[in-house]
């Protein structure tokens, strides 16, 4: 029997919502037949890394040389659109068990049967990302109530959450079966030392409570210590067969050294110099809540500072998933050991153990934590992303009376973190500052994933070559940026950034200048604002006729400043349920702060923030406006976050949003004049073969009423007209352009343009 062949195909991203994020790829029926497969079999895809998926037949008319994938599978391949991949029939086995990581805190109590149902029929291998969106395509997949259960448990973003497959039994490509055991571990890395990767050091695995004696390191991996995920290890040496925990050296705590010094001082006073506090009439007890964005290195910081002291670790998500009795017993055991050994009790992701909505057992758990704080010689430390997500009683004076906030790493810190992560890795000539400038919002955990993806690209490129020549190059890191999406941007739509910057925008001089002063100067010349004693503008409103390039110039602005752009279109934040819309606004701005420097782009802001008291939406619009005003007024500092709105109906926006300190700078984006239209036509026709009789300058002068979008559409229609004339046409003629003008009419409404121009003149008076 002949072996099944390998075929080379081109990746295309799927536009089908029914296929997207379900672990399915589409190929031409002839390709499936040539591979010796049937529809719904498993296919192996070899790109920068090797992944697997379920293959289905593409629709009629699909090209035979194309493999249609979604963005998750493209990321698993480590490639983007139009890349070449090799495909072959996968050797797949049914999984006895599969371990996934990255379940959000809200979903860590989801029953195993629900997770298994969500993953049922999907084909994965270790290192793949996978969503909870059920496959629901192909034969025999009873997942009817899974989506509803996950939506009710996790919330609106349940279908966009990405899990990572960390282990499978057996190894290789496996499919999730009705009998597969699904094991979940923690929600992600706590910093650069979590997990394995370039330059990483081993850490405590999720799903365990571990005790580390002074001068020794103990490690508990996922599932270690028996079937109880709250099992406790008290040995002062690493258990047999388990990796030891190595605390990160203090000099490697990039960006948080000041916080480390503060924490070390608190520990020294509470544990080593308690008599000094008593002399001054103060209690030597200590409870600290360490807060910061996911992956910033909260647990890593505590382990580094606690190096040499007894450290008892409770993994909040794993213990929080136990039944109430098991949860209480796990915390009680850990608290007793911390008290007996005079050390530190660390509770990671404490909001999963003690959620904001108190449970009956929460009171008893808090009592056990209080006993650690009250006992002489022992202290309590807890980590969480946002303190408000944890039980409010945790911040009472007799529990965690101090909060230590960890900041996002800036560009310099990101470069230093990459240097630490790649310290022991063979590399070529790397420009790490250039990489750090392109990674706003990335934390230590994200950069570790970036280094790992770059390593996989280097390994894929060097496959079959001399192993001694394998090394990470600059292109590997830059290419990994397009694949690794930081935690701070998960669940939000982002504006795609291209190579076009503000310098490449030929017209709109006043608009470009206003955006440069409002957005780029505060980020690039902060010292000038401080020297002159002024605060930079908080927000800007672009208004003008539709199709005149508002979104285009925002994309160019983001590319110029290397900004993370969080985009909201129209009224998509609106929700009929009381409180949901306001929460969506708060979450939007929180993610913007977490990914700073960033830009919040509110497209069609007139639909999002209409004048209050003039809508019939049961007050939803009024509450959204109030939430926006609260965020803009800086009750919680926005930092390096700029708000930019766009509309063609500025008179409909609530006036309170347009006051100083909010969207205070209004910029009119006028329709393009003849010169601007000529620039637009030249840019749009850069790759269009135009005949000599096509004079773009003359054509531009004859296109009154055409917007920028209309000009681009005209050239596109001209090319199609040439194809209708002759499918083998080599150029577009003036006659083709004239015929295209019959189909592409100007879209600008003269009355609307005049109204907007008058509005702009009134603002200038």
């Amino acid at each position: 029997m002949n072996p099944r062949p390998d075929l080379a195909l081109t990746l295309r991203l799927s536009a089908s919502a029914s296929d997207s994020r379900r672990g399915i790829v589409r190929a031409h029926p002839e390709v499936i037949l040539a591979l010796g497969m049937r529809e719904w079999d498993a296919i192996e895809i070899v790109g920068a890394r090797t992944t697997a998926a379920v293959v289905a037949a593409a629709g009629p008319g699909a090209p035979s040389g194309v493999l249609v994938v979604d963005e998750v599978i493209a990321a698993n391949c480590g490639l983007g659109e139009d890349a070449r991949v090799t495909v072959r029939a996968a050797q797949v086995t049914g999984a006895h068990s599969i371990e996934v990581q990255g379940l959000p805190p809200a979903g860590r109590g989801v029953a195993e049967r629900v997770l298994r149902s969500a993953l049922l029929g999907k084909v994965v291998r270790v290192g793949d990302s996978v969503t909870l969106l059920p496959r629901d395509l192909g034969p025999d997949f009873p997942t009817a109530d899974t989506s509803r259960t996950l939506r009710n448990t996790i919330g609106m973003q349940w279908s966009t959450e990405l899990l990572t497959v960390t282990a499978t039994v057996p190894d290789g490509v496996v499919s999730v079966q009705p009998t597969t055991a699904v094991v979940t571990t923690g929600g992600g890395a706590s910093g650069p030392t979590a997990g394995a990767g370039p330059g990483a050091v081993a850490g405590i695995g999720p799903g365990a409570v571990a005790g580390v004696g002074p001068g020794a390191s103990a490690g508990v991996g996922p599932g270690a210590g028996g079937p109880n995920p709250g099992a406790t290890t008290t040995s002062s040496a690493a258990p047999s067969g388990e990796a030891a925990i190595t605390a990160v050296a203090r000099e490697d705590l990039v960006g948080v050294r000041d916080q480390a010094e503060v924490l070390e001082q608190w520990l020294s006073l509470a544990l080593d110099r308690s008599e000094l506090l008593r002399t001054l009439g103060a209690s030597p007890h200590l409870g600290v809540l360490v807060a910061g964005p996911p992956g910033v290195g909260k647990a890593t910081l505590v382990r580094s500072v606690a190096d040499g002291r007894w450290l008892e670790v409770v993994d909040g998500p794993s213990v929080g998933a136990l039944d109430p009795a098991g949860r209480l017993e796990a915390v009680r055991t850990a608290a007793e050991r911390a008290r007996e050994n005079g050390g530190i009790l660390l509770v990671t992701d404490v909001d999963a153990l003690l959620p904001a909505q108190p449970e009956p057992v929460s009171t008893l758990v808090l009592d056990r934590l209080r006993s650690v704080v009250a006992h002489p010689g022992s202290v309590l430390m807890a980590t969480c992303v946002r303190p408000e997500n944890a039980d409010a009683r945790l911040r009472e004076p007799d529990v965690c009376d101090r909060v230590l906030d960890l900041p996002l790493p800036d560009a310099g810190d990101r470069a230093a973190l990459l240097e630490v992560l790649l310290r022991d890795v063979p590399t070529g000539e790397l420009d790490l500052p250039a990489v750090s400038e392109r990674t706003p919002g990335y934390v230590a955990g994200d950069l570790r994933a970036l280094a790992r993806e770059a390593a996989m690209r280097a390994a894929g490129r060097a496959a079959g070559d001399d192993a001694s020549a394998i090394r990470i190059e600059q292109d590997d890191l830059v290419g990994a940026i397009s694949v690794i999406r930081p935690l701070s941007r998960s669940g939000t739509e982002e504006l795609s950034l291209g190579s076009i910057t503000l310098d490449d925008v030929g017209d709109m001089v006043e608009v470009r200048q206003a955006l440069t002063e409002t957005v780029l100067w505060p980020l690039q010349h902060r010292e000038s604002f401080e020297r002159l004693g002024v605060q930079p503008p908080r927000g800007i409103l672009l208004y003008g006729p539709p199709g005149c390039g508002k979104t285009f110039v925002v994309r160019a602005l983001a590319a110029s400043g290397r900004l993370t752009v969080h985009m909201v279109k129209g009224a998509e934040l609106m929700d009929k349920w009381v409180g949901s819309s306001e929460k969506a606004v708060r979450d939007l701005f929180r993610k913007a702060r977490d990914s700073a420097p960033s830009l919040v782009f509110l497209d069609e802001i007139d639909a999002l923030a209409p004048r209050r008291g003039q809508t019939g939406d049961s007050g939803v619009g009024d509450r959204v406006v109030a939430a926006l005003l609260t965020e803009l007024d800086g009750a919680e500092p926005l930092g390096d976050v700029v708000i930019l709105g766009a509309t063609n109906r500025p008179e409909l926006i609530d006036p309170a949003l347009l006051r100083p300190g909010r969207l205070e700078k209004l910029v009119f984006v006028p329709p393009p004049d003849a010169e601007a239209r000529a620039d637009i036509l030249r840019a749009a026709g850069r790759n269009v073969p135009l005949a000599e009789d096509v004079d773009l300058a003359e054509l531009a002068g004859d296109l009154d009423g055409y917007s920028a979008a209309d000009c681009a559409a005209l050239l596109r229609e001209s090319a199609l007209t040439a194809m209708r004339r002759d499918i083998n046409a080599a150029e577009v003629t003036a006659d083709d352009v004239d015929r295209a003008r019959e189909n592409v009419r100007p879209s600008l409404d003269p009355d609307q343009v005049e109204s907007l121009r008058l509005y702009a003149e009134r603002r200038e008076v």
Side-chain angles (χ1 to χ4, degrees):
M1 181 177 178
N2 293 330
R4 293 182 177 180
D6 292 357
L7 298 179
L9 301 178
T10 301
L11 283 187
R12 286 284 189 276
L13 291 182
S14 172
S16 170
S18 62
D19 286 356
S20 183
R21 308 175 77 84
R22 297 182 188 273
I24 294 173
V25 301
R26 296 275 179 178
H28 194 280
E30 293 179 359
V31 171
I32 299 176
L33 185 63
L35 291 172
M37 302 171 59
R38 296 175 301 177
E39 190 176 20
W40 309 113
D41 283 350
I43 189 172
E44 198 168 46
I45 310 166
V46 183
R49 67 180 297 271
T50 301
T51 187
V54 174
V55 65
S64 59
V66 167
L67 184 71
V68 182
V69 304
D70 60 26
E71 69 275 15
V72 177
I73 295 175
N76 287 339
C77 295
L79 299 173
E81 192 166 27
D82 296 330
R84 297 288 287 178
V85 294
T86 300
V87 298
R88 55 178 173 252
Q91 299 297 320
V92 63
T93 54
H96 299 302
S97 68
I98 177 174
E99 183 179 285
V100 294
Q101 176 178 299
L103 201 64
R108 290 172 188 163
V110 174
E112 182 190 5
R113 64 172 181 81
V114 177
L115 294 177
R116 180 167 50 248
S117 179
L119 300 176
L120 194 62
K122 295 185 179 181
V123 177
V124 296
R125 63 185 303 156
V126 172
D128 281 354
S129 293
V130 64
T131 73
L132 290 172
L133 199 64
R135 204 181 100 177
D136 280 348
L137 293 173
D140 301 327
F141 286 101
T143 59
D145 64 340
T146 303
S147 299
R148 182 172 61 254
T149 302
L150 291 170
R151 181 170 57 251
N152 293 340
T153 304
I154 298 177
M156 298 293 290
Q157 303 297 334
W158 73 273
S159 62
T160 63
E161 296 289 350
L162 286 181
L163 308 183
T164 302
V165 179
T166 56
T168 63
V169 178
D171 294 332
V173 179
V174 299
S175 65
V176 181
Q177 304 291 311
T179 57
T180 301
V182 179
V183 180
T184 60
T185 61
S190 296
T193 63
V201 289
I204 292 180
V209 181
V212 182
S217 298
V220 181
N228 181 356
T232 306
T233 297
T234 57
S235 167
S236 61
S240 176
E242 294 172 357
I245 303 167
T246 305
V248 176
R250 189 69 59 86
E251 58 270 18
D252 290 342
L253 292 176
V254 177
V256 292
R257 293 194 183 103
D258 292 343
Q259 288 79 2
E261 290 181 5
V262 170
L263 192 58
E264 174 63 34
Q265 183 181 25
W266 289 349
L267 278 174
S268 178
L269 288 173
L271 297 179
D272 304 331
R273 307 180 64 188
S274 57
E275 72 286 348
L276 177 60
L277 292 175
R278 291 192 182 94
T279 301
L280 296 172
S283 171
H285 76 266
L286 178 63
V288 181
L289 186 61
V290 183
V296 79
K298 300 180 288 295
T300 299
L301 170 70
V302 175
R303 292 189 182 107
S304 178
V305 173
D307 191 26
R309 304 180 188 272
W310 183 277
L311 179 63
E312 197 79 26
V313 182
V314 174
D315 184 68
S318 298
V319 176
L322 300 175
D323 61 90
R327 193 183 317 175
L328 182 61
E329 177 62 21
V331 175
R332 183 194 65 78
T333 303
E336 283 184 358
R337 289 189 172 132
R339 294 196 304 268
E340 291 171 0
N341 293 283
I344 302 166
L345 175 61
L346 170 62
V347 183
T348 61
D349 294 321
V350 70
D351 50 327
L353 178 64
L354 294 168
Q357 294 296 329
E359 301 172 354
V361 74
S362 296
T363 301
L364 300 177
V365 170
L366 279 166
D367 286 342
R368 303 301 183 270
L369 299 182
R370 284 193 184 93
S371 69
V372 174
V373 178
H375 187 272
S378 62
V379 300
L380 170 66
M381 294 192 184
T383 69
C384 69
V385 175
R386 289 175 295 281
E388 62 270 17
N389 286 351
D391 194 321
R393 294 173 293 176
L394 185 68
R395 285 168 282 166
E396 292 178 352
D398 57 346
V399 191
C400 291
D401 59 340
R402 300 173 188 230
V403 177
L404 187 67
D405 289 309
L406 301 191
L408 279 167
D410 58 21
D413 291 338
R414 292 194 295 272
L417 280 168
L418 284 170
E419 185 176 354
V420 171
L421 290 167
L422 299 173
R423 177 187 298 156
D424 301 321
V425 177
T427 62
E429 291 293 329
L430 300 181
D431 187 356
L432 295 182
V435 176
S436 69
E437 289 292 340
R438 301 185 60 173
T439 52
Y442 282 62
V443 294
D446 300 323
L447 294 173
R448 184 183 65 83
L450 187 74
R452 178 178 178 274
E453 177 63 28
M456 296 181 70
R457 285 172 173 265
R461 184 185 64 252
D465 295 345
D466 180 10
S468 62
I470 299 176
R471 60 185 185 181
I472 294 177
E473 302 288 355
Q474 181 77 5
D475 289 344
D476 298 320
L477 286 170
V478 173
I481 295 174
S482 63
V483 176
I484 301 301
R485 190 181 190 193
L487 290 169
S488 59
R489 303 184 201 170
S490 60
T492 59
E493 181 176 356
E494 296 181 27
L495 203 65
S496 60
L497 304 184
S499 59
I500 299 296
T501 66
L502 284 179
D503 293 335
D504 300 317
V505 179
D507 57 339
M508 297 190 286
V509 176
E510 295 181 0
V511 175
R512 288 189 290 121
Q513 182 64 24
L515 291 175
T516 300
E517 295 175 1
T518 306
V519 180
L520 299 184
W521 282 4
L523 300 176
Q524 299 170 350
H525 307 288
R526 181 188 298 274
E527 68 284 353
S528 297
F529 286 89
E530 294 175 352
R531 184 173 60 252
L532 297 175
V534 295
Q535 290 291 330
R538 173 59 59 203
I540 185 170
L541 176 68
L542 298 179
Y543 65 98
C548 290
K550 297 186 289 295
T551 303
F552 172 77
V553 76
V554 171
R555 184 179 290 113
L557 170 69
S560 298
R562 295 296 178 189
L563 304 174
T564 302
V565 181
H566 299 270
M567 184 175 182
V568 176
K569 298 176 183 177
E572 65 182 27
L573 293 180
M574 301 291 194
D575 196 298
K576 65 179 180 179
W577 303 110
V578 175
S580 296
S581 300
E582 299 92 308
K583 182 178 183 300
V585 173
R586 291 195 301 271
D587 289 346
L588 171 67
F589 280 84
R590 173 184 57 77
K591 290 179 179 178
R593 280 188 288 266
D594 287 348
S595 59
S598 61
L599 181 71
V600 177
F601 180 38
L602 306 175
D603 202 5
E604 303 296 342
I605 191 175
D606 53 291
L608 177 66
R611 289 175 178 265
R612 284 174 286 183
Q614 298 184 12
T615 59
D617 55 5
S618 303
V620 175
D622 293 356
R623 294 197 299 271
V624 169
V625 172
L628 283 172
L629 293 175
T630 301
E631 295 292 342
L632 289 171
D633 284 338
E636 185 175 353
L638 287 176
D640 291 335
V641 178
V642 178
I643 317 302
L644 197 153
T647 181
N648 53 18
R649 300 293 301 277
E651 71 280 0
L652 298 183
I653 300 174
D654 191 278
L657 277 173
L658 307 180
R659 293 174 185 164
R662 298 166 182 172
L663 300 182
E664 59 185 79
K665 195 172 186 66
L666 275 67
V667 178
F668 179 48
V669 183
D673 56 18
E675 183 178 352
R677 290 194 295 269
D679 290 338
I680 294 167
L681 288 171
R682 278 191 286 269
R686 186 178 296 123
N687 298 319
V688 179
L690 298 174
E692 294 183 357
D693 60 349
V694 179
D695 187 339
L696 292 182
E698 181 181 351
L699 176 63
D702 196 29
L703 294 179
D704 285 337
Y706 279 71
S707 67
D710 296 335
C711 293
L714 177 61
L715 283 186
R716 187 165 54 249
E717 180 64 25
S718 300
L720 291 173
T721 301
M723 293 173 63
R724 296 187 194 105
R725 171 174 52 82
D726 181 359
I727 195 63
N728 297 315
E731 59 183 10
V732 176
T733 66
D735 185 58
D736 295 327
V737 175
D738 291 338
R739 290 178 180 275
R741 290 185 62 180
E742 298 175 3
N743 297 323
V744 180
R745 309 300 301 169
S747 63
L748 293 179
D749 181 356
D751 293 336
Q752 183 185 32
V753 173
E754 184 61 24
S755 175
L756 289 169
R757 201 179 300 279
L758 291 174
Y759 182 87
E761 292 175 357
R762 289 196 301 270
R763 296 290 305 185
E764 294 173 357
V765 175

